[in-house]
Amino acid sequence: MARTISDVHADYTRRTIQWARIRDALEGQDEIKGAGAAYLTKPDGMTPTAYAAYKERAQFYPVIERTLRGMSGMVFRKPIKVELAPRLEPLIEAATTDGHSLRVMSENVINEVLSVGRHGILVDYPTSNTTATSIPYLATYNAEAICDWKIQLVDGMRTLTRVVLKDDFDSDDDDLHNGAEMRLELILNEEGNYESRKWVATSADKKTGDVSTWIMYGEPIVPVINGKPLKKIPFVFINPYDLRPEVEKPPMLDLVDVNIGHYRNSADYEHALFLTSQPTPWVAGAITEANTPKAIGSGAFWILPEGAQAGFLEFSGAGLEAMRLAMKDKEDRMASLGARMITDGKNRNEASDTAKMRGNGEMSLLTNVVNMVEAGIERALRIGTEWVTGKPDDVEFKINRDWVETMLDATTLTALVKTWQSGGMSHVTLYENLQAGEIAPVDRTYEEEKDLIEEEGGDLGAALNEQALAAALIPPEGAKPAPKEEEKQRPDGEQGDDA
C-alpha cells in the first residue's frame, strides 16, 4: 500500500516522545514544572493546592543544557576550517535560509545531534530571482520536521527514494500562513528523477488536530542542473554514528531520564523537609475549649489544667537521609553519563583508571558526533559544488577535535627552543610543537609563518642561532679571557707596543 503525505514513519512516532522529553529538559525547570503530572505524579490523597506547593518546592537541576553547551563549547573553542570554490565562498558567511554562517549552522547541528541524535540538510537552489551567479543554499531540518522517509534498492544500492518534511515554504497566498500545516515531499519519480511537491492541510479537527484533507500546492517541480534532472534526492541525514536515515537512540536520553528522576526525588525530599523541619507542639490532659492554647511563642501565655503535659514533636530517623542519598546517587550517575559540571572533580574514591575510562567514553561520543556532522555538512557542500563547478573535490570542511586547552608552559617552551637551537630537532618540528601547544595558530602553515618572519626582518632561525653562538663564546663569570694569538707568540716577560 502506497504511503500518503499524511503518514509518518513508525520510527518517527516511537522517538517523538523521547525527543519531547529531551526538549523539555533543555528548556529547564519552568518547562518541566509546567508539564505537571507528566514528570511529577500527584501523590494519592494530595489536594490540588497541596500538589501545587509540592511541585513548587521541587528543584530541577539544569544539567542537560549545561552539559550540551559545555560539550559544544569544547568543539567550537577553535574555528572551523572551510575551503570552497570562489563562487561558493559566500556560503561561508550565509549558508542557510535563515542567513546563518557555516560556523553557526555547524554549532546548531552539533547541538541537535548531541541532544536528540538527528538532523537533516537539504541542498536547494533559489526558485526565484535566479541569475547566472546564483548559488545553492542549505536548508536545515530538526528531527521533528523529518516525518517520513523511504529506502529502496536501486541498481543494487540502498537509495533514498522519498522524504517528507514539515516545512513553511514561502507563498504569496496569505491563507497558507494562517496556521495551516505544510509539508514538502521529495521523491524519485517513475523516471528516476528528483521531484519536489508542496502540500497544504486544508482543514483539521479543532479538538484532535487531525488533518482531514491535504492538497498539492502548485505543480510538482523537477529541478534541472546544467540542463539535466537530478538522479538523487539532495538530502543528507546526520545521526550520531552514521549518515543513514534510520533513527538512533538520542545520546542525551539516559542523562535526561536520570535528571528527571532526580527532580522527583527533590520533590519528595523538599516535601519531607517542609513537614518535619519545624517542631510541632503537643498538649495532653483535660484540655477544654477554654484552656486550649491559641498561640505559641515568647508572647503567648498558656494556662493548662493540673496534670497536663506539653512537648514538641520532632523528626528523628533515617528517612530524610535516605532521600538525600538517593539524590546524591543520581548526581553521581549523571556525572558518569557526562554531566561533570555538577561535581567538583575531586572524587577521591574513584581510581584514576576509572576516571580516565569515563573521560574516554565521553570523548568517544563527542568524537563520533563531530565526525558525522563534519561528514554530513561536507557531503552537502560537495553536492552544491558539483552543481556549480562540477568539482566536488574542491570542498574541504573540518571541525576542531582539540577539545582541551593545552597551552605550553614557559619551561617546556624554553626547553623546545633550546633543543632546536642545539640541533636536536628541525625548525618544522619546533613549529608543529608550537601549534600543538597553542602558541602558533593551527590554521597557519609553516611556510606562511616563515613568510611572516621574513617580512618582519629576516630569518628568525639565523638570528636565534647567532644569539646562541654568541652566548657560547662568552666565558663563564670570573674566568680570564683567552689570550690573543699574537700574545701567545711573544717571549715571556715582554709586552707589546701598546702595553
Side-chain angles (χ1 to χ4, degrees):
M1 180 178 176
R3 299 182 64 79
T4 67
I5 193 64
S6 62
D7 293 326
V8 295
H9 200 281
D11 287 345
Y12 175 89
T13 302
R14 182 168 61 94
R15 295 293 186 189
T16 300
I17 298 174
Q18 297 174 347
W19 296 336
R21 197 154 70 239
I22 294 169
R23 301 286 188 199
D24 289 346
L26 283 170
E27 284 295 318
Q29 179 163 282
D30 289 346
E31 196 73 22
I32 292 294
K33 289 187 175 182
Y39 298 119
L40 186 63
T41 304
K42 183 171 76 67
D44 292 339
M46 185 176 281
T47 66
T49 301
Y51 173 70
Y54 171 70
K55 183 176 65 175
E56 183 64 26
R57 285 188 292 267
Q59 294 293 312
F60 180 78
Y61 283 18
V63 169
I64 308 305
E65 193 268 342
R66 292 185 180 182
T67 299
L68 182 62
R69 299 304 172 192
M71 297 178 81
S72 178
M74 291 164 60
V75 175
F76 291 98
R77 74 185 192 90
K78 291 185 178 180
I80 62 174
K81 182 179 180 180
V82 186
E83 291 185 10
L84 298 173
R87 182 175 164 186
L88 290 169
E89 286 181 350
L91 288 177
I92 296 175
E93 297 301 326
T96 71
T97 51
D98 298 321
H100 289 159
S101 66
L102 275 177
R103 195 260 184 213
V104 173
M105 187 196 81
S106 302
E107 188 167 358
N108 290 338
V109 177
I110 288 278
N111 288 338
E112 285 291 306
V113 179
L114 274 174
S115 55
V116 299
R118 188 169 177 79
H119 207 65
I121 302 175
L122 172 65
V123 187
D124 209 349
Y125 219 91
T127 57
S128 60
N129 300 322
T130 57
T131 66
T133 59
S134 295
I135 60 175
Y137 61 89
L138 307 179
T140 58
Y141 294 85
N142 61 25
E144 293 86 347
I146 311 170
C147 50
D148 201 8
W149 58 93
K150 187 175 183 180
I151 298 290
Q152 293 178 286
L153 287 177
V154 178
D155 296 330
M157 298 291 292
R158 285 171 53 86
T159 304
L160 180 68
T161 60
R162 182 172 182 265
V163 182
V164 178
L165 307 166
K166 294 181 180 180
D167 206 340
D168 185 15
F169 43 80
D170 293 332
S171 169
D172 295 331
D173 190 344
D174 292 337
D175 291 338
L176 290 182
H177 299 279
N178 191 25
E181 184 178 353
M182 308 176 194
R183 292 190 181 179
L184 180 64
E185 183 181 25
L186 314 175
I187 66 168
L188 293 183
N189 59 25
E190 295 179 354
E191 289 76 30
N193 298 327
Y194 167 52
E195 180 178 302
S196 67
R197 304 169 180 175
K198 297 176 180 179
W199 297 84
V200 180
T202 58
S203 60
D205 188 302
K206 293 183 179 180
K207 292 183 179 180
T208 64
D210 294 336
V211 175
S212 59
T213 306
W214 288 89
I215 61 171
M216 189 180 297
Y217 178 75
E219 296 295 325
I221 298 173
V222 179
V224 176
I225 304 296
N226 298 323
K228 297 180 180 180
L230 301 175
K231 296 298 182 178
K232 292 183 178 180
I233 298 175
F235 190 85
V236 180
F237 289 89
I238 303 177
N239 292 320
Y241 312 108
D242 54 49
L243 302 181
R244 298 183 302 167
E246 285 75 14
V247 186
E248 301 283 353
K249 176 183 175 182
M252 287 283 179
L253 183 61
D254 291 338
L255 182 56
V256 166
D257 288 341
V258 177
N259 199 184
I260 292 173
H262 185 276
Y263 164 66
R264 291 166 179 157
N265 287 153
S266 169
D268 292 337
Y269 181 70
E270 296 293 340
H271 183 60
L273 282 177
F274 171 75
L275 295 176
T276 61
S277 60
Q278 297 183 4
T280 302
W282 61 269
V283 177
I287 306 299
T288 65
E289 181 67 25
N291 58 25
T292 298
K294 300 297 190 295
I296 189 172
S298 60
F301 186 70
W302 290 10
I303 300 177
L304 302 177
E306 184 178 357
Q309 294 179 308
F312 283 92
L313 293 174
E314 295 187 89
F315 173 79
S316 63
L320 283 175
E321 179 63 12
M323 292 182 185
R324 192 186 68 80
L325 289 176
M327 294 172 64
K328 182 64 170 62
D329 177 64
K330 288 183 174 63
E331 290 169 10
D332 291 342
R333 288 166 62 188
M334 285 190 285
S336 69
L337 289 170
R340 287 195 177 188
M341 65 287 300
I342 67 170
T343 66
D344 59 7
K346 299 178 181 178
N347 185 359
R348 294 177 174 82
N349 295 322
E350 182 179 64
S352 60
D353 288 345
T354 303
K356 183 177 180 180
M357 287 192 304
R358 185 175 72 177
N360 289 341
E362 295 169 14
M363 294 304 101
S364 177
L365 169 62
L366 189 56
T367 299
N368 286 337
V369 170
V370 169
N371 286 342
M372 291 304 104
V373 171
E374 180 182 273
I377 295 178
E378 185 172 84
R379 177 181 291 184
L381 291 172
R382 285 175 179 266
I383 292 172
T385 301
E386 186 173 16
W387 292 355
V388 173
T389 68
K391 299 179 180 179
D393 292 338
D394 289 345
V395 174
E396 184 178 6
F397 181 81
K398 298 296 180 184
I399 300 177
N400 167 52
R401 286 172 177 73
D402 184 6
W403 317 133
V404 182
E405 184 175 349
T406 55
M407 182 73 74
L408 283 177
D409 58 85
T411 302
T412 305
L413 178 59
T414 301
L416 285 170
V417 174
K418 285 184 176 180
T419 303
W420 166 61
Q421 289 175 336
S422 64
M425 71 170 66
S426 69
H427 200 177
V428 174
T429 302
L430 172 65
Y431 185 68
E432 289 173 349
N433 276 273
L434 295 179
Q435 287 181 309
E438 302 188 11
I439 302 296
V442 294
D443 57 347
R444 183 183 299 163
T445 66
Y446 171 71
E447 288 74 17
E448 291 171 341
E449 185 70 18
K450 281 186 64 179
D451 292 341
L452 290 174
I453 293 172
E454 291 173 359
E455 289 176 8
E456 293 181 355
D459 186 355
L460 178 60
L464 286 175
N465 279 323
E466 288 175 4
Q467 294 174 15
L469 180 60
L473 294 175
I474 297 175
E477 185 176 354
K480 294 182 179 180
K484 297 182 179 180
E485 189 65 28
E486 58 271 19
E487 292 177 348
K488 291 181 181 179
Q489 298 175 358
R490 291 172 182 165
D492 291 344
E494 294 184 7
Q495 297 182 352
D497 295 336
D498 56 348

